[in-house]
């Protein structure tokens, strides 16, 4: 009925899965069951990747997170999340080329994981691995171009729709800006505020990662850049909790034991409020 609000690679996935459904009056329900079943498998793979990155306990935190389960099959983001987590795992194992390729797949599927390039850059620069960072960045860029090039050649306007739509999208839809307007009606936001707030929060995250006494790992630092990216996003969609939860439980494993218990309580409270917010919204 209308263009897909995802990058072209996700559109390709949607289209290919449609061949598993026979035309009928119940086709829409058959399509949902098939896609939901596959996404549950991807969800399980995400839990396994978290297990490899952070341990069994944190994999269960993710797998049993109520807000994540509630929003899992309302969107297609799990396809990008599984690729992102795989890229992080490969990065931690110093398999940088494979990590860069998987990260480019994640970016081509949703684009959110582009923010991981910030901690990756800081990690390489702090370790004085400038040439490795350049190689990683070029591998990510070239792979992303190769994935997208066929779509560009076939239908440039269709390929560009997601990026144009995202750039021109108005502020609102459960975002920080809409919530502030509800509580303080006199405050008005424009696109300039969006850019200022995003620049400020990323400057703060960059300073935080640079000032850490030890060089952070990608696993422990990814949550901070994703949180910064989503905090002042133009909207807040239900699937964002999947991104945040997957990275939050990994980061929890790296927090000092003294602070971990209180943060786990905060995590549980957050999930409860997130579920209530999603249901009411």
């Amino acid at each position: 009925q209308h263009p897909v609000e995802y990058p072209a690679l996700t559109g390709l996935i949607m289209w290919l899965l449609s061949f598993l459904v026979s035309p009928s009056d119940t086709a829409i329900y058959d399509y949902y069951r098939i896609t939901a079943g596959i996404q549950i498998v991807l969800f399980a793979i995400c839990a396994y990747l978290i297990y490899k990155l952070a341990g069994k306990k944190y994999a269960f935190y993710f797998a049993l997170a109520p807000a994540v389960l509630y929003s899992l099959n309302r969107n297609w983001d799990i396809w990008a999340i599984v690729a992102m987590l795989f890229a992080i795992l490969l990065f931690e194992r110093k398999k940088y080329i494979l990590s860069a390729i998987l990260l480019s797949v994640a970016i081509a599927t949703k684009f959110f994981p582009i923010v991981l390039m910030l901690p990756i850059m800081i990690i390489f620069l702090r370790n004085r691995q400038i040439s490795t960072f350049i190689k990683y960045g070029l591998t990510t860029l070239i792979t992303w171009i190769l994935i997208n090039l066929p779509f560009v050649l076939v239908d440039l306007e269709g390929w560009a729709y997601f990026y144009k739509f995202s750039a021109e999208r108005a502020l609102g839809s459960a975002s920080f800006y809409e919530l502030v307007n509800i509580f303080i009606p006199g405050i008005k936001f424009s696109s300039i505020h969006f850019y200022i707030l995003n620049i400020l929060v990323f400057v703060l995250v960059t300073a935080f990662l640079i000032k850490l006494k030890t060089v952070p790992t990608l696993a422990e630092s990814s949550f901070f850049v994703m949180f910064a990216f989503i905090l002042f996003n133009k909207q807040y969609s239900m699937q964002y909790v999947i991104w945040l939860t997957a990275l939050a439980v990994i980061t929890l494993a790296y927090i000092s034991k003294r602070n971990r218990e209180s943060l786990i309580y905060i995590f549980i409270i957050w999930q409860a409020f997130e579920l209530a917010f999603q249901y009411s919204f």
Side-chain angles (χ1 to χ4, degrees):
Q1 298 292 326
H2 57 80
V4 174
E5 295 171 15
Y6 276 90
L9 189 56
T10 305
L12 177 65
I13 292 167
M14 296 177 185
W15 178 66
L16 290 174
L17 290 176
S18 71
F19 288 96
L20 299 176
V21 179
S22 300
S24 69
D25 293 339
T26 61
I28 188 170
Y29 307 109
D30 298 334
Y31 183 76
Y32 175 80
R33 291 187 191 102
I34 289 170
T35 54
I38 293 172
Q39 294 199 165
I40 290 167
V41 173
L42 294 176
F43 175 71
I45 294 171
C46 285
Y48 175 75
L49 292 170
I50 291 169
Y51 160 69
K52 301 299 288 184
L53 282 162
K56 186 187 293 185
K57 179 169 69 173
Y58 300 99
F60 276 115
Y61 283 147
F62 174 74
L64 300 175
V68 172
L69 294 170
Y70 186 70
S71 62
L72 176 63
N73 284 319
R74 293 171 174 270
N75 52 76
W76 299 83
D77 287 38
I78 197 71
W79 290 83
I81 293 168
V82 71
M84 176 189 70
L85 291 174
F86 200 7
I88 294 172
L89 180 63
L90 290 169
F91 189 92
E92 295 302 293
R93 294 181 175 178
K94 301 189 186 306
K95 296 179 180 180
Y96 296 132
I97 298 300
L98 287 174
S99 172
I101 291 170
L102 262 294
L103 184 61
S104 66
V105 171
I107 295 168
T109 309
K110 179 63 180 183
F111 204 69
F112 277 26
I114 188 70
V115 298
L116 266 61
M117 287 304 298
L118 177 59
I120 287 169
M121 178 184 70
I122 292 170
I123 290 165
F124 280 133
L125 293 182
R126 288 193 63 178
N127 285 325
R128 294 181 172 82
Q129 295 176 292
I130 298 173
S131 60
T132 308
F133 169 65
I134 293 171
K135 189 175 182 181
Y136 189 99
L138 285 174
T139 302
T140 304
L141 177 62
I142 291 168
T143 306
W144 183 85
I145 290 172
L146 291 174
I147 291 171
N148 284 276
L149 189 59
F151 300 104
V152 173
L153 295 175
V154 170
D155 181 7
L156 176 60
E157 186 179 349
W159 172 84
Y161 173 81
F162 165 77
Y163 304 98
K164 184 180 179 183
F165 172 82
S166 300
E168 296 175 351
R169 194 172 205 160
L171 306 179
S173 188
S175 67
F176 162 82
Y177 314 98
E178 185 175 68
L179 293 177
V180 171
N181 284 333
I182 290 170
F183 290 107
I184 313 173
I187 294 181
K188 301 296 180 184
F189 291 102
S190 64
S191 58
I192 189 67
H193 298 109
F194 164 76
Y195 290 112
I196 290 172
L197 288 171
N198 274 279
I199 290 169
L200 284 175
V201 74
F202 272 101
V203 167
L204 288 172
V205 170
T206 302
F208 168 70
L209 295 177
I210 290 173
K211 292 290 184 180
L212 288 173
K213 291 181 180 179
T214 58
V215 180
T217 65
L218 183 58
E220 66 182 310
S221 57
S222 294
F223 170 77
F224 297 103
V225 290
M226 189 61 70
F227 177 77
F229 177 70
I230 287 174
L231 180 61
F232 295 119
N233 207 304
K234 289 182 176 180
Q235 65 164 359
Y236 185 79
S237 295
M238 290 185 177
Q239 63 263 37
Y240 292 1
V241 71
I242 311 177
W243 294 88
L244 293 174
T245 304
L247 297 176
V249 295
I250 295 171
T251 302
L252 276 172
Y254 289 87
I255 300 293
S256 65
K257 193 172 182 180
R258 184 183 62 184
N259 297 320
R260 196 179 300 156
E261 280 191 23
S262 58
L263 286 173
I264 288 171
Y265 284 118
I266 292 172
F267 173 82
I268 294 169
I269 293 168
W270 165 47
Q271 285 292 316
F273 271 100
E274 182 77 35
L275 182 63
F277 172 74
Q278 290 191 16
Y279 182 77
S280 62
F281 187 78

